[in-house]
Amino acid sequence: MMILITAFTLLHVLFYLRLAQGWRKIPVVEKSGNKISFSVIIPVRNEATNIQTILKNLESQHYPKELFEVIVIDDFSEDDTAQIVNQLIPSLNLNLRLVQLSDPTKQGKKHALTAGVKAAKYETILTTDADCWFGESWIRSYSDAFGKEVNMVAGPVAIEGRGIFARLQQVEFAGLIGFGAVTISEENPSMCSGANLGFKKAAFEEVGGYTDNLFTPSGDDEFLLFNIMRKFPHSTIFLQSKEAVVCTPAHSKLRSFVNQRTRWTSKWKYNKNWKVRISAILFFLDYLIFYGAIAGAILGIVDDVFITGIAIMRFLVLLFFVSPVNRFMGGRSSFFPLLLFQIIYPLHVLFMGMNSIFGSYTWKGRKYG
């Protein structure tokens, strides 16, 4: 038992040290003065309360209005989302269009994004979500990142909110974004976020868009990342720029948080990237063994001083990795949220691992699983 705990702890520490080193090596995207034309695509369903905010956010961009268009794709909304967009078109200083899905057999985010790419008149696509917000230089930061050899750019996403539950989500997501950033930079991709993503239209079409993963409603971002990096090596970068950070609200209720994480983790079993699948299994086993070690210490089977030392080591290496990522994205001190996170996260990993296999979830009023 002690040998197994020690082995997995060593792997855990080396893993996070490598991530911490990898994050510090990602180059900052410098201002280039590029003036690229963009099509900004926002897939929406039942976003009447959010759509006006993000459109005004785009209207305030410090980027020539003639160099970008905004396409809102309505995925059979059951509220006033489409009507609000139509009302805003004449009043906003934006090249704004509304596209509405019309075929009931083709609904969901991937079909909405596909329709948006098809409708886009510019070669470079940016995607975000209706409940997000960002700074006035968001588009310009992407113009600095995209060059002739770049087919995809993954941007940073930060969780914002008040209270300890929001802070826990913030540090957890900072870790996920940092993990994704490092693996993209090392040409061994794991994840990205469609809330802040850019890609070339030609690359999207060359890999067939989402045709090989339409069976799962989630994963529009990650499956596209894997396919583009496989088809076009050395042409994807992480956008290391504070001006590129996109913010999204923290969940206020545990139920909605679990529902979202179930949706995210449910796509792992469909992932064709064996390295990602093995990493997910090892991650699950790592926390399972850690909880087993704690149980062993409580029962007197394992030395409690040894387990305490293991727990402290795991916390410090996690803090070493997550803190600079969280600071980069505007987060506050990571120490106390990560301390609490270290206590409850193993249970979260184990629960979500099982729930992703056997559980179901709802998304935008639709039930899956």
Side-chain angles (χ1 to χ4, degrees):
M1 180 69 171
M2 299 282 281
I3 295 175
L4 189 62
I5 296 169
T6 303
F8 267 86
T9 298
L10 181 60
L11 287 174
H12 182 97
V13 170
L14 291 176
F15 174 73
Y16 280 106
L17 285 177
R18 186 179 68 80
L19 288 180
Q21 181 185 33
W23 172 261
R24 288 162 174 81
K25 289 170 60 177
I26 297 174
V28 175
V29 174
E30 302 292 341
K31 291 180 172 59
S32 65
N34 290 341
K35 293 298 181 183
I36 298 172
S37 296
F38 294 98
S39 292
V40 182
I41 297 175
I42 311 172
V44 297
R45 176 173 165 80
N46 301 336
E47 296 287 358
T49 58
N50 297 314
I51 192 63
Q52 183 170 346
T53 300
I54 192 169
L55 291 178
K56 287 187 175 296
N57 211 191
L58 286 162
E59 185 185 35
S60 67
Q61 289 295 295
H62 290 166
Y63 202 73
K65 294 293 190 296
E66 66 274 12
L67 291 183
F68 72 96
E69 64 172 349
V70 179
I71 308 173
V72 176
I73 308 94
D74 181 53
D75 178 20
F76 297 97
S77 290
E78 298 168 331
D79 62 7
D80 296 331
T81 302
Q83 294 91 315
I84 292 172
V85 175
N86 277 325
Q87 290 170 3
L88 289 171
I89 288 175
S91 62
L92 292 176
N93 182 24
L94 275 178
N95 181 5
L96 174 62
R97 284 188 284 156
L98 173 68
V99 174
Q100 292 183 276
L101 298 185
S102 56
D103 185 349
T105 65
K106 295 181 179 180
Q107 54 182 282
K109 189 175 182 181
K110 291 176 182 175
H111 286 294
L113 286 167
T114 301
V117 173
K118 185 177 180 180
K121 68 178 181 180
Y122 297 127
E123 169 63 14
T124 310
I125 308 292
L126 302 183
T127 69
T128 188
D129 294 331
D131 61 348
C132 294
W133 63 94
F134 34 76
E136 296 172 336
S137 298
W138 179 64
I139 293 179
R140 195 192 51 131
S141 68
Y142 269 98
S143 72
D144 294 331
F146 269 103
K148 290 182 179 179
E149 305 302 320
V150 176
N151 279 304
M152 193 174 206
V153 177
V157 179
I159 302 288
E160 288 205 358
R162 295 182 178 180
I164 189 61
F165 186 38
R167 295 282 300 282
L168 287 170
Q169 293 173 64
Q170 184 182 74
V171 295
E172 182 217 19
F173 203 64
L176 291 174
I177 292 296
F179 176 50
V182 172
T183 54
I184 287 171
S185 299
E186 294 179 349
E187 295 288 322
N188 186 26
S190 61
M191 64 158 289
C192 63
S193 175
N196 195 7
L197 193 63
F199 53 86
K200 294 289 181 66
K201 185 175 182 178
F204 178 90
E205 293 171 343
E206 182 69 20
V207 300
Y210 310 110
T211 53
D212 68 339
N213 54 85
L214 282 172
F215 46 81
T216 174
S218 187
D220 52 277
D221 38 23
E222 292 175 17
F223 289 126
L224 185 62
L225 170 71
F226 300 145
N227 288 339
I228 287 181
M229 290 195 72
R230 188 183 303 114
K231 183 74 174 181
F232 304 99
H234 316 300
S235 70
T236 298
I237 65 170
F238 177 76
L239 183 44
Q240 178 78 298
S241 169
K242 292 185 178 182
E243 294 179 338
V245 174
V246 165
C247 299
T248 189
H251 291 277
S252 59
K253 297 180 180 179
L254 180 61
R255 183 175 181 177
S256 63
F257 171 80
V258 171
N259 189 68
Q260 183 194 60
R261 293 307 191 267
T262 302
R263 173 169 60 87
W264 287 359
T265 56
S266 65
K267 63 197 171 200
W268 288 354
K269 55 181 175 285
Y270 301 113
N271 201 314
K272 297 178 182 178
N273 188 320
W274 65 270
K275 292 181 181 179
V276 174
R277 300 183 76 169
I278 290 176
S279 296
I281 292 170
L282 289 174
F283 198 67
F284 180 84
L285 288 175
D286 174 47
Y287 281 100
L288 181 64
I289 291 169
F290 181 56
Y291 253 156
I294 293 173
I298 294 172
L299 295 173
I301 301 172
V302 182
D303 182 63
D304 55 353
V305 176
F306 172 74
I307 296 304
T308 301
I310 291 293
I312 292 172
M313 189 183 305
R314 290 168 68 99
F315 168 69
L316 291 176
V317 74
L318 183 64
L319 183 68
F320 182 61
F321 165 55
V322 173
S323 286
V325 182
N326 195 34
R327 285 197 304 270
F328 163 76
M329 293 192 291
R332 291 180 287 169
S333 171
S334 303
F335 186 88
F336 289 108
L338 274 179
L339 187 60
L340 180 58
F341 179 86
Q342 177 80 349
I343 297 170
I344 65 175
Y345 195 63
L347 181 61
H348 166 72
V349 169
L350 298 177
F351 173 77
M352 293 312 305
M354 299 301 295
N355 205 39
S356 66
I357 299 172
F358 303 108
S360 61
Y361 61 90
T362 58
W363 187 25
K364 303 293 184 180
R366 297 169 176 145
K367 188 170 183 178
Y368 301 93

